[in-house]
Amino acid sequence: MNIISDKKQALKGSPKLLSKSVAFAVIDDRHIIKHDLVKYIVETYTENTVYNFYKRKCDILGFYKEEDIDIAIVDAYEKDYELLVVMKNGTFINSSFFFKNVQKMIDNNIALMGHVLDFKERYYFIHEQCFFLNLKAWKLSGSPEYYSDNIDVTKVQRSVTNFHDDYTPHWVKKDDGLADVNKVLPGGYMMSELLKADYNASPFTEVRELKWFTYHGDTMKCLMKSLSLNAKEYHHGFFSTETETIDEVKLNDTIDTLISISSAFHPFKVIQKSGINPKNILMYDISSEAIQIYKRILMGWNGKDYVELLNTSDFNYRTGHTEELANKSFDEMKSMCDWEPFFDDVCSKNIDFLRGNLLTETFHKKFIHYVNKDEVALFHVSNIFSYEAETYYYDIFQRFFSFYNLFLQMKKNSKKTVFKGSIFNLKNYISTDDMNLADWYVKATELALTPWQQKKLPDFKKSLKKREEEIFG
């Protein structure tokens, strides 16, 4: 499959996808839901997954009934996509889960990856909640149907061990001869034909904990699962390496105050890449750990050994972050400038620290005490409003509205604020002079990728207008 771009990615960022190479088909079964909260959970997980991959250049093929999975596969092939992701409403997929499993497909000639369930005399079931299909391999294997009652299927060897229970093998592979079965469940025949054509099939094996499903056909099971996910203690920690690229940009304003997340070398690299020289720096974060490490960086460190600073802090590396990546981040920083005098200059500025959750209105109001109507601020929000690890249980409009509220507060209380970050479908740099209410309506409309968001859109636009009136009078 030719789906991964060679475009540069951040040191701890995800690969880039080629346009028009990956499509998502969403199986819409919301009609079975019997509880309003379950409906919200299902729609929220779904729209967050849909948007997360839409912004990564995946196309949304459409919303299909469960019985129309074969139609979705044909649609995707006829539109020349390389990979089809079939996912049922209520599925949340973290991008790390996607890219690690896709890379395994590419490296191991795997044409079908999903939840491969061993149903013994009924052969194998590929669960419709989510599977990845190499469309060229599917076509070369004779275009096998997902729903087929053909029982001429190959024998399969499987692992002795399971992910859980006794029907979730760690691996499967083709065996000689035909299987002795009395029925073939959905996906089984398709898997068999791919195996016969010398392609491999596999269950999802990589970072499985970064994908989940609501099981919304059972109301109480769904609510209990959601409660367990939301009650899980999330360790915010400190990001020792950048997860986003910081490109060079020329700003037309003199920046008086830089407001920056407390992460890796973000404030230093933003200053370098944008060519600014702020008088004031306000470091903020939701994580007390990150705030404490940045206090050490700016008020006690000599700027010489970043890893030693980290290892002598109350600190644990985030998943996937390592000493090696931290050193690469530091080396990249030093290559941008004459590091020691630059570091000393940054540390000599007027520096404050602020801890809180940037998604909340109460935290937004605290920033107005650090700006004024005569000065310009550069506000680095990074990917906070769309950070998939923590925001999957907030719907897209809710988080979009949160940024809109922050935008309006800064517009009212500063001469001008330039925002930098991955902020939904907005530009990477956007200022309070750039957007009016009509522009926000357009952007909200673009975000309405699902049928239920489109239904909510008129009321959401009214909320945008009302919030502007509330803040500006």
Side-chain angles (χ1 to χ4, degrees):
M1 291 187 298
N2 183 28
I3 64 174
I4 304 294
S5 166
D6 58 5
K7 188 176 179 181
K8 181 183 176 183
Q9 64 190 72
L11 286 173
K12 189 58 186 73
S14 297
K16 308 294 184 183
L17 291 170
L18 295 172
S19 296
K20 303 297 180 184
S21 64
V22 181
F24 273 65
V26 182
I27 308 306
D28 189 355
D29 66 342
R30 288 172 299 140
H31 63 279
I32 70 171
I33 297 173
K34 302 178 178 66
H35 191 289
D36 287 343
L37 180 54
V38 169
K39 184 179 180 183
Y40 175 80
I41 293 168
V42 168
E43 292 179 346
T44 298
Y45 286 11
T46 306
E47 68 186 54
N48 275 302
T49 298
V50 166
Y51 176 71
N52 186 29
F53 287 96
Y54 175 77
K55 74 181 182 183
R56 298 176 190 276
K57 299 189 181 299
C58 296
D59 291 342
I60 312 306
L61 189 65
F63 289 75
Y64 294 81
K65 296 178 181 178
E66 189 171 323
E67 59 267 27
D68 292 335
I69 288 176
D70 286 307
I71 295 174
I73 294 172
V74 172
D75 287 349
Y77 177 78
E78 290 181 345
K79 292 179 180 177
D80 293 325
Y81 290 105
E82 297 262 344
L83 178 71
L84 175 65
V85 176
V86 173
M87 58 164 273
K88 189 178 257 189
N89 273 333
T91 302
F92 176 79
I93 305 174
N94 183 291
S95 59
S96 293
F97 171 89
F98 173 82
F99 283 109
K100 287 185 181 296
N101 282 288
V102 163
Q103 191 60 57
K104 183 170 180 178
M105 290 182 73
I106 293 170
D107 294 342
N108 295 277
N109 192 35
I110 295 170
L112 175 65
M113 183 176 268
H115 295 284
V116 180
L117 308 181
D118 180 4
F119 273 74
K120 311 302 189 273
E121 68 278 1
R122 292 181 292 165
Y123 202 55
Y124 284 83
F125 171 43
I126 307 302
H127 203 300
E128 76 283 352
Q129 69 168 264
C130 188
F131 63 86
F132 301 171
L133 180 64
N134 179 329
L135 291 164
K136 288 183 178 178
W138 170 81
K139 186 64 175 180
L140 290 170
S141 302
S143 309
E145 294 180 332
Y146 177 81
Y147 291 110
S148 173
D149 56 6
N150 191 328
I151 62 172
D152 292 328
V153 290
T154 183
K155 282 185 179 179
V156 173
Q157 290 185 37
R158 54 148 294 172
S159 63
V160 176
T161 54
N162 295 277
F163 289 106
H164 58 81
D165 301 294
D166 66 345
Y167 56 88
T168 57
H170 285 112
W171 55 262
V172 293
K173 64 181 181 179
K174 180 180 175 293
D175 203 352
D176 295 331
L178 293 177
D180 182 14
V181 296
N182 56 36
K183 186 177 181 179
V184 173
L185 294 175
Y189 177 71
M190 185 168 70
M191 182 181 87
S192 173
E193 292 300 288
L194 289 164
L195 292 173
K196 288 179 183 179
D198 293 325
Y199 294 103
N200 294 320
S202 173
F204 293 126
T205 58
E206 309 304 300
V207 289
R208 286 167 58 95
E209 69 276 8
L210 296 182
K211 175 204 159 291
W212 49 83
F213 182 63
T214 52
Y215 296 99
H216 45 276
D218 182 334
T219 296
M220 296 317 298
K221 181 177 181 178
C222 176
L223 292 174
M224 183 61 72
K225 189 170 183 66
S226 175
L227 179 62
S228 298
L229 283 169
N230 294 347
K232 183 179 179 181
E233 184 176 352
Y234 188 82
H235 179 69
H236 295 286
F238 175 70
F239 285 89
S240 53
T241 307
E242 292 83 10
T243 58
E244 60 178 330
T245 56
I246 300 174
D247 298 322
E248 288 191 17
V249 65
K250 179 172 176 55
L251 300 177
N252 297 320
D253 300 282
T254 298
I255 302 297
D256 300 288
T257 299
L258 170 64
I259 304 173
S260 173
I261 54 166
S262 303
S263 172
F265 287 94
H266 275 299
F268 297 96
K269 291 182 179 180
V270 167
I271 290 172
Q272 276 294 318
K273 292 287 190 176
S274 57
I276 63 174
N277 185 26
K279 298 179 297 183
N280 314 302
I281 298 177
L282 174 60
M283 302 300 304
Y284 74 93
D285 213 282
I286 193 173
S287 167
S288 57
E289 235 178 308
I291 293 289
Q292 289 305 315
I293 288 175
Y294 244 92
K295 284 182 177 179
R296 290 193 66 196
I297 289 174
L298 295 172
M299 302 171 72
W301 185 41
N302 62 10
K304 296 187 183 299
D305 191 332
Y306 181 47
V307 168
E308 180 186 39
L309 169 81
L310 296 176
N311 291 341
T312 56
S313 300
D314 182 14
F315 163 79
N316 290 308
Y317 285 99
R318 297 286 302 246
T319 301
H321 292 251
T322 63
E323 286 189 7
E324 180 184 7
L325 283 174
N327 266 324
K328 284 184 178 180
S329 180
F330 189 30
D331 289 342
E332 183 181 83
M333 181 67 249
K334 291 184 290 185
S335 71
M336 293 180 185
C337 60
D338 187 355
W339 168 245
E340 289 190 13
F342 172 65
F343 173 72
D344 290 340
D345 179 63
V346 172
C347 293
S348 69
K349 297 184 183 298
N350 180 33
I351 299 171
D352 285 297
F353 299 88
L354 195 61
R355 181 177 174 234
N357 185 344
L358 197 61
L359 294 176
T360 64
E361 181 180 11
T362 53
F363 195 47
H364 296 171
K365 291 179 178 178
K366 293 183 179 180
F367 289 101
I368 66 178
H369 301 297
Y370 295 90
V371 296
N372 63 63
K373 292 292 290 181
D374 298 318
E375 295 184 343
V376 178
L378 174 59
F379 201 139
H380 185 198
V381 300
S382 187
N383 62 352
I384 289 172
F385 290 93
S386 54
Y387 182 46
E388 57 193 326
E390 293 182 64
T391 58
Y392 60 87
Y393 45 81
Y394 299 119
D395 68 55
I396 296 290
F397 282 163
Q398 188 177 354
R399 288 185 281 119
F400 185 78
F401 190 82
S402 175
F403 175 72
Y404 175 68
N405 183 77
L406 176 63
F407 180 95
L408 293 179
Q409 290 286 3
M410 296 303 290
K411 182 174 184 177
K412 180 179 181 180
N413 292 285
S414 67
K415 180 180 179 182
K416 181 180 182 179
T417 295
V418 180
F419 290 95
K420 177 202 164 9
S422 303
I423 316 164
F424 298 104
N425 51 345
L426 306 179
K427 294 182 295 184
N428 196 243
Y429 285 85
I430 185 169
S431 86
T432 47
D433 289 347
D434 293 340
M435 300 276 289
N436 58 37
L437 186 58
D439 297 318
W440 289 101
Y441 287 167
V442 170
K443 293 301 178 182
T445 302
E446 292 173 359
L447 287 174
L449 298 173
T450 67
W452 54 89
Q453 288 173 299
Q454 292 163 11
K455 186 176 180 180
K456 295 174 184 175
L457 186 60
D459 187 61
F460 182 67
K461 288 181 178 180
K462 291 178 183 177
S463 293
L464 293 174
K465 185 174 187 296
K466 186 175 181 180
R467 179 49 53 105
E468 183 182 64
E469 293 169 349
E470 289 170 346
I471 290 178
F472 283 95

